[in-house]
Amino acid sequence: MPKEESAATHAFWLAGRQATGEAAFDVTSPWDGRVVGTVSVPSDAQVEEAVAAAYAIRDEFAATPAHVRAAALDHVSRRLVERTEEIARLISAENGKPIKWARGEVGRAVSVFRFAAEEARRFNGGEAQRLDTDAGGQGRLAFTRRFPKGVVLGIAPFNFPLNLCAHKIAPAIAAGAPIVLKPAPATPLSGLILGELLAETELPAGSWSILPVPNDRMPALVQDERLPVISFTGSEQVGYAIMDSVPRKHCTLELGGNGAAVVLADWVSDEDLDRAASRIATFSNYQGGQSCISVQRVIVDASVHDRLLPRIVAAVEAQVTGDPADDATDVGPLVSQAAAERVEAWVQEAVDAGATLLTGGKRDGASYAPTVLTDVPADVTISCEEVFGPVLTVQKVDGEAAAFAAVNDSRYGLQAGVFTHDLQTAFRAHRALEVGGVVVGDVPSYRADQMPYGGAKQSGVGREGVRFAMDDYTYERVMVLTGLAL
């Protein structure tokens, strides 16, 4: 559709300054197709300039005093608070996320930068280790610090276009590692906003760039030897293709999942079941299902299944769908019509194979109605893959062991939720479930931005969460002091 006069043109950020290229593309709303903004695309020469600047400053930036990096991170956190509503509206417009969830995303990014400022002040303080525990080490002391591995290439997805950019940028700055960030092509505007805030700080030129590079030009960046660390969040296929193409680089991959919520026999009262149904319905749909830890599989003990299932259906049907700019909306569109059409095809495949559709199953453009399926065959796509849409399946099992086996019957292992009151069961779940995180008494969709976050099996490698990402971006270097009177 033609560009609206009010749609802004956005420069990108090259080595800390605004720049424009010769090409540009429109960012459109998945809700109504309007142009939200036009984004300038960096040329190959401009990408080279950004990488060269980051590489040239890597040693200087690693030696930047902690208070300088912490002050910059604190500044971004404060400015995000001041501009919350504006940025939330931007997220909602370019992503289709309901405004109430967009505000929550801004709040999380506020915390990410605050946590990073705190970690910048205490990280890498050094650790001493005495070596005279053996005779050959008498008079020697080891002192260990962490140093950046080099420039980070951050690649962010569309589903949390602000906060997942924050999870790339903030830990890198806190650790003293320059970063070149590529936001998702569908949602670059939120990432570029971070550039506005970083440009208000005293961080040295070259320490950060935000480049909306098209996907088909990324292989050259991925292969560039001056970018030894790659932090990628996105699909399994793309993530492992990146890792396979650069086997000698350090890759952190936060990939997909098909999150399971387990409801066990002791979660039995009406209050318990109402809460489980509400949490499951909310967090199978809260980003249009476009979250790696949204509820996709509900695994229910047979003793409570028949009481829980109608509650889930009712809670899903109570989700308000519609205009993401409306405060009342719970579920907005998917990121594109193509994404909704894929979800529609997967649901139809399951129904054709014998699954029962209890509610939903309808598409309108880029929107897909919140959907509940039962009796889903184990070999259909929606059972095996990450749906990344507002669809959940419900499976009945007999007992705890069968429930945990059902969770593990997946090549993914990001997070799982276990509704139980029993502490021993909680510890058994923590031991048995092949996932990166077990959330007890709630859905798998809980993430605190300071905790280690990542998966097992095909859900990725490495961990995000500010301090844990800083560990990934750095390495230990030991200094041995000799001739000491210890």
Side-chain angles (χ1 to χ4, degrees), residues 6-138:
S6 61
T9 299
H10 297 258
F12 52 85
W13 295 92
L14 195 168
R17 72 178 192 278
Q18 283 190 310
T20 57
E22 296 180 356
F25 65 94
D26 288 337
V27 177
T28 58
S29 165
W31 170 247
D32 57 15
R34 67 186 173 88
V35 174
V36 180
T38 300
V39 174
S40 188
V41 178
S43 66
D44 289 341
Q46 289 170 318
V47 172
E48 166 60 27
E49 183 181 349
V51 173
Y55 185 75
I57 204 171
R58 67 194 189 285
D59 292 336
E60 176 187 335
F61 192 49
T64 302
H67 73 86
V68 173
R69 289 179 277 116
L73 294 161
D74 274 331
H75 174 84
V76 175
S77 182
R78 288 193 300 270
R79 293 288 284 137
L80 286 169
V81 172
E82 293 168 0
R83 297 178 63 178
T84 291
E85 188 64 19
E86 169 202 351
I87 296 172
R89 294 285 171 186
L90 182 63
I91 292 170
S92 183
E94 69 170 344
N95 173 276
K97 181 174 299 191
I99 185 63
K100 65 182 179 183
W101 294 114
R103 292 187 187 110
E105 181 175 348
V106 179
R108 289 181 59 189
V110 169
S111 296
V112 168
F113 279 94
R114 187 182 75 250
F115 294 144
E118 294 166 356
E119 292 295 346
R121 293 183 173 98
R122 61 175 167 248
F123 186 74
N124 200 25
E127 179 178 340
Q129 181 181 19
R130 63 185 308 156
L131 301 177
D132 61 353
T133 51
D134 288 320
Q138 188 169 335

Side-chain angles (χ1 to χ4, degrees), residues 88-450:
R89 294 285 171 186
L90 182 63
I91 292 170
S92 183
E94 69 170 344
N95 173 276
K97 181 174 299 191
I99 185 63
K100 65 182 179 183
W101 294 114
R103 292 187 187 110
E105 181 175 348
V106 179
R108 289 181 59 189
V110 169
S111 296
V112 168
F113 279 94
R114 187 182 75 250
F115 294 144
E118 294 166 356
E119 292 295 346
R121 293 183 173 98
R122 61 175 167 248
F123 186 74
N124 200 25
E127 179 178 340
Q129 181 181 19
R130 63 185 308 156
L131 301 177
D132 61 353
T133 51
D134 288 320
Q138 188 169 335
R140 297 178 188 267
L141 180 74
F143 186 73
T144 304
R145 294 173 62 194
R146 299 190 71 89
F147 293 87
K149 294 172 180 174
V151 184
V152 176
L153 173 60
I155 306 173
F158 70 81
N159 56 327
F160 289 85
L162 179 76
N163 196 44
L164 293 183
C165 286
H167 269 287
K168 309 300 183 191
I169 292 173
I173 292 173
I179 182 165
V180 175
L181 176 76
K182 176 202 177 300
T187 57
L189 302 175
S190 302
L192 293 173
I193 282 282
L194 291 177
E196 293 183 27
L197 307 185
L198 288 166
E200 298 169 354
T201 73
E202 296 182 2
L203 292 175
S207 59
W208 59 274
S209 293
I210 302 175
L211 305 177
V213 178
N215 289 344
D216 60 6
R217 288 171 50 199
M218 283 304 294
L221 262 179
V222 167
Q223 294 288 334
D224 197 307
E225 293 183 357
R226 295 167 294 179
L227 306 171
V229 180
I230 297 176
S231 178
F232 172 85
T233 302
S235 72
E236 173 193 0
Q237 293 79 7
V238 174
Y240 283 118
I242 289 173
M243 176 176 277
D244 291 344
S245 73
V246 285
R248 290 178 176 84
K249 289 195 177 190
H250 180 89
C251 293
T252 297
L253 306 179
E254 197 282 281
L255 307 178
N258 53 4
V262 176
V263 183
L264 294 175
D266 69 306
W267 203 266
V268 67
S269 71
D270 288 339
E271 181 181 359
D272 283 346
L273 296 176
D274 287 342
R275 180 175 186 274
S278 175
R279 298 292 287 176
I280 288 166
T282 297
F283 288 97
S284 66
N285 297 292
Y286 74 122
Q287 311 285 340
Q290 297 170 123
S291 168
C292 299
I293 47 177
S294 66
V295 180
Q296 180 172 335
R297 298 181 294 152
V298 183
I299 299 163
V300 186
D301 189 273
S303 64
V304 295
H305 174 274
D306 291 350
R307 294 172 58 213
L308 178 61
L309 181 58
R311 286 174 160 90
I312 291 175
V313 173
V316 168
E317 291 178 340
Q319 295 286 298
V320 178
T321 62
D323 185 348
D326 188 334
D327 284 346
T329 297
D330 298 312
V331 187
L334 276 69
V335 73
S336 67
Q337 181 167 321
E341 289 172 347
R342 177 190 55 77
V343 173
E344 180 181 42
W346 287 14
V347 170
Q348 189 60 53
E349 177 201 21
V351 172
D352 290 344
T356 301
L357 177 66
L358 297 183
T359 191
K362 297 178 181 179
R363 181 182 64 82
D364 180 9
S367 296
Y368 195 80
T371 297
V372 179
L373 296 167
T374 59
D375 309 312
V376 181
D379 58 349
V380 299
T381 306
I382 214 162
S383 292
C384 304
E385 303 291 339
E386 179 180 39
V387 66
F388 227 57
V391 179
L392 65 85
T393 67
V394 182
Q395 175 184 356
K396 183 193 299 187
V397 295
D398 289 312
E400 174 190 305
F404 292 170
V407 174
N408 290 339
D409 186 20
S410 170
R411 72 171 190 273
Y412 296 113
L414 190 48
Q415 291 197 161
V418 180
F419 287 91
T420 182
H421 295 292
D422 186 75
L423 185 61
Q424 293 297 328
T425 300
F427 276 94
R428 287 194 297 269
H430 194 212
R431 177 176 294 277
L433 297 181
E434 298 165 353
V435 295
V438 178
V439 183
V440 177
D442 206 350
V443 291
S445 315
Y446 175 77
R447 177 184 180 182
D449 291 284
Q450 73 271 38

